[in-house]
Amino acid sequence: MTDAPKQPTAEELGAALADKDRVLADAYLATFNKRKAGIAAKYSENSKKYLFRFRRPDVQAYIKARLSEEVMSAEEVLARLSLRASIDGSDFFEQESYEVPVFESRSIQELIDNAEAKVGRMNAIDPELLKSAIESEQRRIADWEVQLAMDPEATYQKQVGTRTETRIVPSLKAAERNGVLQFVEGTEYGPNGLKFKWADPVKALELIGKHHKLFTERTEHSGSLDLGVKYIVGLSEDDL
C-alpha cells in the first residue's frame, strides 16, 4: 500500500511565498482584517490589489495550513468576541485642531484709500506701461465711491487673522491607538474627509450570549399551526 504524499507544513508553504505575500498573509492571520494586512504589506490604502493576492492558491494554502496548526482556543475566541462586543464608537475618533479666518468690518473708504495709493505707485513707475492696470483700479475706485455715496456707513469684511478651533473626526491612528483597528471594515474619502465602517458589535454579543445560554428556543402550538417564537432572558414581550 502506497503511503499518501506528505502535505507540506505551514512553514514550508510560507517559505515558498513571495516576501510581500508572506507579510500580507501573516498580517492577516494576526488581525483577520484584509485592509490592515494590505497596509502592512505596503499596499496603498486606495489600492485593492492586495485583495487579489488573497485569491492566489499558494497564499490560501499557507493561511489554511497556519489556521489548522494554530487553532484558536475557546478562551481566545471569547476574548476576541468580547473585544468586538465592547467597541465604543469614540475609539474610532480623535480631536483635530484647525484654523478658521477671522474677519473684521472696515469702511469702504479704506478700500478707496488703498487703491488710490496703488494707482499713485504705478504712476510713479511707468503710467504708459501700467495704463491698463491703472484704469482697472480707477474703475474699482469709482464703483466704491458710488457705493459710499449711497451709504456712508458701507463696510466690507477684511481678514485680520485666524483662530484655532477643534472638531471630532474619524481617525485610523486613533483606532490603532485604542486597539480597534482590526475592526475597521472599510474606508473611503468623501467631500467631508475620511469615512469608515467598523464592525457591528451586535453579532459578537449574540455569539457570546449563545455561549452563556442566554437565549432559549420555545415552540407554541395553536391548532394545527406551529409558531417558532424566540425569547431573550431579561426582556419582556414589549421589548422584542
Side-chain angles (χ1 to χ4, degrees):
M1 182 176 179
T2 304
D3 293 335
K6 182 182 178 181
Q7 295 297 319
T9 65
E11 188 57 38
E12 290 170 341
L13 291 168
L17 291 177
D19 290 343
K20 197 167 186 178
D21 286 342
R22 177 69 181 266
V23 172
L24 181 74
D26 285 342
Y28 173 74
L29 288 162
T31 64
F32 293 100
N33 184 292
K34 290 183 178 181
R35 185 202 60 79
K36 187 175 180 180
I39 294 174
K42 306 300 183 184
Y43 285 95
S44 166
E45 286 194 44
N46 297 323
S47 170
K48 300 298 182 183
K49 291 182 180 179
Y50 64 90
L51 293 176
F52 294 100
R53 304 303 295 179
F54 279 107
R55 299 177 185 176
R56 290 180 56 87
D58 53 350
V59 173
Q60 292 181 357
Y62 171 63
I63 291 175
K64 183 177 179 181
R66 279 282 306 277
L67 290 173
S68 297
E69 293 179 4
E70 303 171 14
V71 176
M72 236 183 264
S73 68
E75 291 76 13
E76 188 175 356
V77 171
L78 283 173
R80 291 203 179 200
L81 285 174
S82 297
L83 178 59
R84 177 170 294 199
S86 63
I87 287 177
D88 183 346
S90 63
D91 291 335
F92 299 89
F93 295 84
E94 68 180 355
Q95 183 171 282
E96 174 186 79
S97 298
Y98 66 102
E99 298 296 313
V100 296
V102 176
F103 294 93
E104 186 176 280
S105 294
R106 297 287 183 88
S107 171
I108 293 294
Q109 184 61 53
E110 181 180 287
L111 292 176
I112 296 173
D113 293 343
N114 291 339
E116 288 180 339
K118 185 176 180 179
V119 169
R121 290 193 296 273
M122 288 190 290
N123 276 322
I125 296 171
D126 191 330
E128 287 300 320
L129 180 64
L130 301 174
K131 180 179 179 181
S132 177
I134 291 171
E135 290 176 346
S136 176
E137 285 297 316
Q138 288 174 333
R139 286 193 295 271
R140 297 175 68 194
I141 291 170
D143 289 339
W144 287 326
E145 286 177 336
V146 170
Q147 187 176 349
L148 198 59
M150 296 178 64
D151 179 9
E153 303 298 324
T155 61
Y156 75 102
Q157 294 296 307
K158 179 178 181 178
Q159 183 176 345
V160 294
T162 62
R163 69 171 182 273
T164 302
E165 294 191 355
T166 59
R167 58 192 171 198
I168 303 299
V169 297
S171 168
L172 291 174
K173 289 183 179 179
E176 183 173 21
R177 185 169 59 249
N178 294 322
V180 296
L181 184 60
Q182 60 183 302
F183 301 130
V184 176
E185 296 187 338
T187 62
E188 65 179 39
Y189 284 88
N192 298 319
L194 175 68
K195 293 174 60 179
F196 52 71
K197 177 184 178 183
W198 59 84
D200 185 351
V202 174
K203 184 62 178 178
L205 285 169
E206 290 178 353
L207 293 171
I208 293 172
K210 288 179 179 178
H211 169 76
H212 291 295
K213 297 182 173 58
L214 298 179
F215 311 112
T216 59
E217 296 292 336
R218 179 172 161 185
T219 302
E220 293 187 352
H221 301 278
S222 177
S224 61
L225 182 64
D226 290 339
L227 298 176
V229 182
K230 179 179 288 187
Y231 291 88
I232 302 178
V233 173
L235 297 182
S236 68
E237 185 177 347
D238 292 335
D239 292 325
L240 296 176

